[in-house]
Amino acid sequence: MIPRFSTLIRHNWPSIWGLHLLSFIVTSGLSIGAALLAYLIFIPFVIVIGLVGVSSGVSSDFGEALNQFPTEYGVAFSTIMITLIILLQALAQAIPYSYYYSGLFGVFKEMIARQAPNTNTLMTSGFSRFVKSSLLYFTIFLILSIPFLCLVIIIQLDQAEVLSFSWILFLVMITILLFIFTALSLMHAPIIFTLEQRSIADSILSSVRVTFTSLGKVILSALTYIGINFIIVLFLGLGILFIPLMIVAKGIAPVQVLIGILLFFYGLFFVFFLIPFIHAVSLKSIVYRYYKHIRPPCYPHDPSNISSSAIVESKLANSIPSDDKNEGNIIIKWH
């Protein structure tokens, strides 16, 4: 039987915080590399635009050709540039997100099954199927961008300004609603891909199917995620209260120094502990609710259900003589 969510957090909070902080550090490095890769792709494209502008007679000067290209080609140029920026942004986000979420999902899976997450689990899960995982997040980002891309194209095509402000506002609201529903539909795709070891297409389709069959549970998972992250906002507001205290204590040097020291340590606590810990807990809540509430109805006859297989293998592990136990070599099978 799956432990209570509060029990998992209480027993594993040091691991949740430490592994998430480590994951964030590695992800930051991957983000820098992905951003550099995106720029390396973007720069040649800009050069090609300039050369095309010069060769097509837009201007004989390279710099002037770049400036005149948008005016000369209008909507087509804007659409191409926006699409390119979306593609590069998707690439820059997919690479670090692939490691970040895959690693943490692997840690949460291990935690729910054995309550013993470790650094090896984070690294192994993060870089397992890394290319396919990056393609999954790239695909998800592109799908989420479609409503906004359509909105931009519609506005760009409205050269005669036929659309009134109210119509544009209506289209923006529809776009936001489509984005929210699409995000809900794809929310479990990374979890299914990482923990169920499914293909990219099957993960996305299964996530959409889960949304339509268990919409209430999916919405509740999303609200739980948002609600837990809102704790960060509350603590941020608490930290802002130090500013009025500094103003009130103006002219009282000892009090200002004391408030400054408190604010410094509060900032360290907020940045290096609270944000990583709360965000990790919010992600874990989605994985936990998936296993406890969403997965069983979707896979009622699947023997890999955590409530049965994890307990069986845990008993097998406990039956091994203590001298021969090797925690690092005990593998819990989910399929």
Side-chain angles (χ1 to χ4, degrees), residues 16-66:
I16 293 174
W17 167 71
L19 292 175
H20 185 274
L21 187 61
L22 175 61
S23 177
F24 179 78
I25 293 172
V26 176
T27 301
S28 298
L30 291 173
S31 298
I32 295 172
L36 290 175
L37 178 61
Y39 279 117
L40 288 176
I41 296 174
F42 184 72
I43 291 173
F45 185 81
V46 173
I47 294 174
V48 169
I49 290 177
L51 293 176
V52 170
V54 172
S55 62
S56 61
V58 173
S59 175
S60 58
D61 181 74
F62 183 84
E64 185 65 24
L66 284 176

Side-chain angles (χ1 to χ4, degrees), residues 155-222:
I155 294 176
Q156 287 285 333
L157 290 174
D158 186 32
Q159 298 291 330
E161 298 184 357
V162 176
L163 295 175
S164 62
F165 175 78
S166 58
W167 269 104
I168 293 177
L169 184 61
F170 173 75
L171 290 174
V172 170
M173 293 177 62
I174 293 296
T175 301
I176 293 174
L177 291 175
L178 285 174
F179 173 80
I180 292 174
F181 183 77
T182 305
L184 286 174
S185 300
L186 299 177
M187 185 173 68
H188 289 92
I191 298 175
I192 295 171
F193 177 86
T194 303
L195 305 185
E196 307 287 357
Q197 296 292 296
R198 301 297 178 89
S199 66
I200 294 175
D202 191 30
S203 299
I204 293 175
L205 291 176
S206 296
S207 181
V208 173
R209 186 161 52 247
V210 162
T211 303
F212 279 97
T213 57
S214 306
L215 181 60
K217 295 177 181 178
V218 172
I219 292 176
L220 187 57
S221 294

